Amino acid sequence: LLNDIGFEWKLWNRDPWEQRFFEVQDYKKTHGNCIIGPNFSNSLNGWVKTQRKGYRHFMNMLKADNDRKLAARNDPEGKVPPE
């Protein structure tokens, strides 16, 4: 019966990550920043914290790899230090 009237069973047509991303975009349009406190939305606040933590981890790994490559370039024997 609900199918006959075109009831939409899925609340979101996007995957969960993409949905949160669009929620952050909407928040920024309204508030002018991406500082989402737990009083606004505890779940969106947690998602943003997770994204920031993942980004910091990625950047630290990238920096460590670049530091190793730089050390190898400066080593007269061209040895790469262990990870």
Side-chain angles (χ1 to χ4, degrees), residues 26-58:
D26 290 342
Y27 183 93
K28 184 171 181 180
K29 285 178 191 172
T30 304
H31 298 91
N33 62 56
C34 294
I35 304 168
I36 302 167
N39 292 337
F40 175 79
S41 169
N42 203 27
S43 61
L44 188 57
N45 172 271
W47 184 86
V48 169
K49 283 183 179 179
T50 300
Q51 301 311 304
R52 289 182 176 143
K53 182 178 178 181
Y55 177 76
R56 281 192 304 273
H57 177 71
F58 171 76

Side-chain angles (χ1 to χ4, degrees), residues 9-32:
W9 291 99
K10 269 183 143 180
L11 294 177
W12 308 110
N13 291 328
R14 302 179 182 111
D15 67 58
W17 188 94
E18 189 178 31
Q19 180 58 39
R20 289 292 189 198
F21 178 76
F22 286 116
E23 287 177 35
V24 171
Q25 282 185 322
D26 290 342
Y27 183 93
K28 184 171 181 180
K29 285 178 191 172
T30 304
H31 298 91

